[in-house]
Amino acid sequence: EVRVRSALMHAHIRNGQYDKARDLFKELESNVAFPIDSVVVDAAATAAKHLNDSDLLDRAAKALAADANLVAPLSFHVARVALASANGSPEDGEAVIDEVIALEASEGQKLKPADATKLFQELVEAYDAAGNYAGVLRSAERLVDAAQRPNEPVVSLCIKAAGALGDNADSNEQLLRVFSSFRAGPRIQPAIYEQLMEVLGSHENYSGVVTVFDEVSSQRRPTQAMVEMLQQALRHLPRSQALEHCATFGIA
């Protein structure tokens, strides 16, 4: 019955039925004969995050505290970051991550890159939702420090943040650092390059637009949107440079 109930909770999570997962957790919690394990806590924490339900997360925390052998799943800490940010501020969410890092360090461990990515992505999204774009870039840099390579959603939010902050040397440098780590990994989707070119163009960094286009064209066929942004950028460069780039890229 234990495995069946645990599987049912996760089925509710997969189907987006977070309220049903919450109700089932409360039912199991009240049954002293039912052992709450990390799998059940994982489902409860995931539901709490999506429902922004602090009471449910508190119940999950009590279940963890009641059994010293239980290890808090990553989803529990991700939910803590999400709820602290939503009900307080992103800084409160960041404090949760600092607490998790300190706990790992006290046990002679270091936050795993995959875990760091999930925690800091939650924080980046929280800063973005709050319109704190400097916080987005700073959190992404922390992710790079902890996990080396950020993922696509984080990079996209960083490009958005840099665009919102305007042509600022500090934010541009932060974006460059995050993007440099990102480009070292697997093939990048065209939408990311398009977003980056658009922001560079809005900052009147026309040479930067050309540089990004050059990088893309060395790997794949540029999209029509990229070609159009390149053509716009070339109109702002000295004629000799523009003609040289046109010849290089084979465009009129």
Side-chain angles (χ1 to χ4, degrees):
E1 183 185 356
V2 172
R3 287 196 298 271
V4 171
R5 293 298 185 90
S6 296
L8 182 56
M9 278 193 74
H10 277 279
H12 288 323
I13 295 296
R14 286 194 301 274
N15 294 329
Q17 298 173 311
Y18 304 113
D19 53 343
K20 289 186 177 181
R22 172 180 58 193
D23 294 342
L24 183 54
F25 179 80
K26 289 181 178 179
E27 177 187 326
L28 300 177
E29 182 189 33
S30 64
N31 183 353
V32 293
F34 188 91
I36 301 292
D37 61 12
S38 293
V39 175
V40 173
V41 172
D42 173 57
T46 302
K49 175 193 166 186
H50 286 279
L51 295 170
N52 192 26
D53 190 333
S54 297
D55 174 68
L56 179 58
L57 190 62
D58 287 343
R59 289 170 182 265
K62 288 175 183 175
L64 288 170
D67 187 343
N69 293 319
L70 281 185
V71 176
L74 178 65
S75 57
F76 174 73
H77 296 304
V78 171
R80 289 178 62 210
V81 174
L83 268 65
S85 299
N87 301 321
S89 70
E91 287 80 7
D92 295 327
E94 191 163 4
V96 170
I97 296 179
D98 289 336
E99 180 186 319
V100 174
I101 292 173
L103 179 62
E104 291 282 326
S106 70
E107 298 173 351
Q109 303 292 326
K110 190 176 180 181
L111 202 59
K112 296 175 183 175
D115 293 352
T117 296
K118 290 183 178 179
L119 288 168
F120 280 107
Q121 179 178 342
E122 194 66 42
L123 183 62
V124 166
E125 290 173 354
Y127 273 116
D128 175 70
N132 185 334
Y133 298 117
V136 168
L137 290 166
R138 183 174 52 75
S139 299
E141 280 197 298
R142 290 194 65 186
L143 189 159
V144 169
D145 290 336
Q148 303 305 314
R149 185 178 189 266
N151 58 21
E152 188 172 304
V154 167
V155 173
S156 180
L157 289 177
C158 285
I159 296 172
K160 173 188 172 184
L165 290 169
D167 191 12
N168 176 286
D170 290 338
S171 60
N172 288 343
E173 185 177 335
Q174 289 174 302
L175 175 61
L176 178 61
R177 182 172 179 231
V178 173
F179 195 81
S180 295
S181 298
F182 178 63
R183 78 204 302 190
R187 188 167 173 148
I188 300 172
Q189 294 301 311
I192 289 290
Y193 280 120
E194 288 178 359
Q195 186 184 5
L196 180 59
M197 289 176 69
E198 186 175 354
V199 166
L200 290 171
S202 71
H203 290 173
E204 299 182 0
N205 185 346
Y206 303 117
S207 295
V209 172
V210 174
T211 299
V212 174
F213 186 91
D214 184 37
E215 179 175 325
V216 175
S217 62
S218 69
Q219 301 170 15
R220 58 153 66 86
R221 183 182 178 86
T223 65
Q224 183 59 33
M226 292 179 194
V227 172
E228 290 173 0
M229 284 188 277
L230 174 68
Q231 290 172 329
Q232 287 284 344
L234 293 179
R235 293 189 184 102
H236 295 276
L237 294 178
R239 180 174 173 77
S240 58
Q241 286 185 31
L243 290 174
E244 183 179 339
H245 291 310
C246 284
T248 300
F249 299 129
I251 62 173

